[in-house]
């Protein structure tokens, strides 16, 4: 399920390149206003906990200067989830208070709509709308990020998908094959006090319609609720 938002800033929207955390916080605020505190506090799963939503970058006419985006006019935001209640709760929160705040700027919702993308099974091509990140926590507490050329990359993507599917649906995951396609471009993003290595490019995913729809709505890789791993169908 997807919720598509058109937002009108109260003034010119000027934000730093690394705005994922502030946008995530704005989404959580709307979920709480819609009565969805548990989606922030608990998530899905036990050993591996997932928040079960993903969001993309803000879209609209803009320029770049001094490590900042300067948007002119309305901006678009898409949030997705494999859990209908998350999108429904977010929409209720926006109906309760149709304004979100991003840094020092208020943005008013001037249009909101729900959508649901359907797929047939088989091989489908996607491109990344936001970077895909894959990492492993080492015994010493350090984090090792993997690149698409690493043999661990696709294996960790698949394991992450399987864990997410079990946690969110309560069922065994549908089979899925994940193939990163060349070229892939490295994107380094600061989230809170952490630098995250992600990659933007294209993927071939092969699976049932349920597997493809789940990945499309949940996101690929880690940190989906921080704005990583959103895919667009080619």
């Amino acid at each position: 399920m997807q919720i598509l938002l058109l937002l009108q800033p109260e003034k010119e929207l000027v934000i730093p390149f690394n705005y994922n955390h502030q946008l995530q916080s704005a989404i959580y605020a709307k979920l709480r206003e819609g009565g969805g505190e548990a989606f922030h506090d608990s998530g899905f799963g036990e050993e591996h906990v997932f928040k079960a939503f993903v969001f993309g970058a803000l879209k609209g006419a803009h320029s770049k200067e001094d490590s900042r985006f300067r948007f002119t006019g309305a901006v678009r935001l898409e949030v997705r989830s494999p859990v209908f209640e998350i999108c429904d709760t977010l929409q209720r929160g926006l109906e309760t208070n149709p304004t979100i705040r991003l840094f020092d700027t208020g943005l008013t919702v001037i249009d909101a709509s729900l959508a649901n993308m359907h797929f047939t099974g088989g091989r489908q091509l996607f491109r990344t709308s936001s970077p895909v990140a894959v990492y492993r926590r080492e015994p010493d507490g350090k984090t090792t990020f993997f690149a698409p050329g690493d043999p661990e990359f696709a294996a960790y993507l698949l394991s992450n998908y399987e864990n997410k599917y079990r946690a969110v649906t309560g069922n065994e995951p549908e089979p899925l094959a994940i193939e990163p396609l060349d070229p892939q471009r490295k994107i380094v993003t600061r989230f809170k006090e952490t630098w995250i290595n992600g990659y933007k490019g294209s993927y071939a995913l092969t699976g049932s319609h349920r597997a493809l729809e789940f990945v499309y709505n949940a996101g690929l890789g880690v940190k989906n609720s921080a704005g990583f791993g959103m895919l667009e169908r080619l």
Side-chain angles (χ1 to χ4, degrees):
M1 181 68 67
Q2 305 94 49
I3 183 166
L4 312 172
L5 302 176
L6 184 64
L7 307 165
Q8 180 63 54
E10 63 186 3
K11 61 181 180 179
E12 188 177 50
L13 179 63
V14 182
I15 56 176
F17 287 168
N18 298 299
Y19 61 83
N20 288 43
H21 178 226
Q22 287 74 18
L23 188 50
Q24 182 198 57
S25 297
I27 293 169
Y28 276 135
K30 292 295 120 179
L31 285 171
R32 286 192 294 272
E33 290 177 15
E37 292 87 352
F39 294 133
H40 173 271
D41 297 339
S42 302
F44 296 84
E46 297 178 359
E47 181 180 357
H48 303 280
V49 177
F50 303 97
K51 298 305 174 66
F53 71 87
V54 63
F55 62 89
L58 292 174
K59 296 180 180 180
H62 67 275
S63 59
K64 300 177 184 179
E65 55 183 62
D66 300 326
S67 300
R68 292 179 179 271
F69 294 112
R70 185 180 294 274
F71 288 89
T72 56
V75 296
R76 298 183 304 279
L77 171 65
E78 182 174 0
V79 183
R80 298 184 196 150
S81 176
V83 180
F84 169 79
E85 289 80 6
I86 290 181
C87 290
D88 187 54
T89 300
L90 179 58
Q91 187 176 47
R92 285 202 306 272
L94 291 164
E95 290 171 349
T96 301
N97 177 9
T99 301
I100 69 171
R101 179 154 292 275
L102 195 57
F103 295 94
D104 65 346
T105 304
L107 297 93
T108 300
V109 179
I110 56 177
D111 187 59
S113 60
L114 291 173
N116 199 6
M117 178 71 77
H118 294 288
F119 295 87
T120 58
R123 188 175 188 265
Q124 300 280 348
L125 297 179
F126 297 86
R127 65 169 175 266
T128 54
S129 176
S130 57
V132 172
V134 178
Y135 65 75
R136 178 179 64 208
R137 297 287 189 195
E138 304 295 354
D140 61 4
K142 294 182 179 179
T143 301
T144 298
F145 286 93
F146 296 106
D150 298 330
E152 298 94 338
F153 187 82
Y156 271 79
L157 283 180
L158 181 60
S159 175
N160 175 267
Y161 153 74
E162 291 173 343
N163 289 331
K164 255 187 303 212
Y165 197 102
R166 290 189 186 96
V168 174
T169 71
N171 299 318
E172 282 301 302
E174 297 275 328
L176 181 70
I178 305 171
E179 180 187 359
L181 305 175
D182 293 332
Q184 297 277 337
R185 180 166 61 97
K186 184 177 180 179
I187 305 290
V188 181
T189 304
R190 186 176 183 177
F191 186 83
K192 298 183 181 180
E193 300 303 317
T194 302
W195 291 98
I196 298 173
N197 296 338
Y199 292 84
K200 295 193 75 173
S202 299
Y203 287 81
L205 302 183
T206 305
S208 68
H209 70 92
R210 286 181 291 272
L212 297 175
E213 288 169 10
F214 184 88
V215 173
Y216 183 81
N217 287 314
L220 188 64
V222 302
K223 299 290 185 183
N224 305 130
S225 65
F228 291 84
M230 180 177 272
L231 301 178
E232 299 290 347
R233 189 176 186 176
L234 285 175

